[in-house]
Amino acid sequence: MKQLIGLVVLLSLACPVGANAQEMKWETRGYYKPKAILVELRSQQKRIEYLENSNRSNEVEQLVKDIDDANRAMVNDFKDHFKFCPVYFIVDTNVNRVVAKQYDGILLDINMQPVRADVMNKAGDDFFIVYFGMPMREKAGMHTEQEVPRSQNGQGLVVIDHNGKQLLSPFQFYYYNNRRYYGVSRGNPQYNFASKKYNIEYYALAADLSGGLHEFYAR
């Protein structure tokens, strides 16, 4: 019995060391483990200005509603399904401020309430920015395993680093699935949205991102 207890103790001590070793393995290759995720909410500011300047102001109300509905689905999805690290939201027009570490007045929590800038002190540079859209190519004229299906499946969650640069393989920087083609409208409307008029949509992927991060850093 004493030998069994001793073995259990040794294993319990070894597990954190093993986990830390896995994390350090990726950090030495430039893939830091995020201590926070900043999720971009779409503003479609240029699109709204275009409609207003084109004497189509009557369309702005519907566009703004669709933007709000897509953002609401995204917030609900991350609120209920992302479990890897703390999540904050920013408007996409504030990404440059995030890269410059100017967090005052731009961070929102999962309840869409403003949060103090110092919540990012713990994260330092160890955070990712996530947006719903199309990924950039890693190298001009070259495809990666993650880029090939993007033309088939459309928009998804794209992960970029604290400098606003898309991460590289083997890190999974693009999360998508076939719900885009099977119909977003058939998904739970709390987490999915597709505009009937504009190319504005969101479909639930926060759980995929959360699981993918857990899997990557456990390798």
Side-chain angles (χ1 to χ4, degrees), residues 41-68 71 91-93 198 200:
L41 300 177
R42 286 166 290 193
S43 65
Q44 298 280 322
Q45 184 177 9
K46 292 183 178 180
R47 200 169 190 175
I48 292 172
E49 291 175 354
Y50 173 78
L51 290 179
E52 291 176 337
N53 294 333
S54 302
N55 296 320
R56 296 165 62 186
S57 57
N58 58 313
E59 297 181 36
V60 172
E61 183 177 354
Q62 183 61 52
L63 175 60
V64 170
K65 183 181 183 302
D66 288 351
I67 294 168
D68 288 344
N71 285 337
V91 178
D92 55 11
T93 53
Y198 302 102
I200 299 173

Side-chain angles (χ1 to χ4, degrees), residues 34-198:
K35 297 176 182 175
I37 292 285
L38 304 186
V39 179
E40 290 186 32
L41 300 177
R42 286 166 290 193
S43 65
Q44 298 280 322
Q45 184 177 9
K46 292 183 178 180
R47 200 169 190 175
I48 292 172
E49 291 175 354
Y50 173 78
L51 290 179
E52 291 176 337
N53 294 333
S54 302
N55 296 320
R56 296 165 62 186
S57 57
N58 58 313
E59 297 181 36
V60 172
E61 183 177 354
Q62 183 61 52
L63 175 60
V64 170
K65 183 181 183 302
D66 288 351
I67 294 168
D68 288 344
D69 287 344
N71 285 337
R72 187 175 298 109
M74 192 176 197
V75 170
N76 289 339
D77 187 27
F78 274 85
K79 180 178 180 179
D80 291 348
H81 301 135
F82 188 81
K83 309 298 181 183
F84 188 81
C85 63
V87 176
Y88 303 104
F89 295 89
I90 58 170
V91 178
D92 55 11
T93 53
N94 286 325
V95 171
N96 288 339
R97 291 184 62 185
V98 169
V99 172
K101 306 296 186 292
Q102 299 171 355
Y103 304 118
D104 288 330
I106 66 171
L107 299 176
L108 300 169
D109 64 16
I110 57 176
N111 296 311
M112 294 293 94
Q113 296 300 310
V115 296
R116 299 188 317 181
D118 58 13
V119 298
M120 292 298 292
N121 289 344
K122 184 178 180 181
D125 286 340
D126 296 341
F127 67 88
F128 292 151
I129 304 170
V130 175
Y131 68 88
F132 186 82
M134 299 291 284
M136 300 292 291
R137 292 195 180 281
E138 289 184 280
K139 293 182 180 179
M142 297 182 65
H143 291 282
T144 70
E145 292 181 359
Q146 296 181 59
E147 290 178 324
V148 171
R150 73 178 188 162
S151 61
Q152 302 169 1
N153 295 282
Q155 301 182 89
L157 291 180
V158 183
V159 185
I160 58 180
D161 67 14
H162 65 274
N163 289 315
K165 303 296 184 182
Q166 184 172 285
L167 280 85
L168 305 176
S169 297
F171 186 91
Q172 186 171 351
F173 57 80
Y174 173 43
Y175 288 80
Y176 68 94
N177 58 42
N178 288 326
R179 274 172 285 186
R180 165 68 175 84
Y181 280 87
Y182 289 125
V184 175
S185 60
R186 289 198 287 271
N188 187 330
Q190 186 175 359
Y191 309 117
N192 300 270
F193 174 79
S195 171
K196 295 180 180 179
K197 184 171 184 177
Y198 302 102

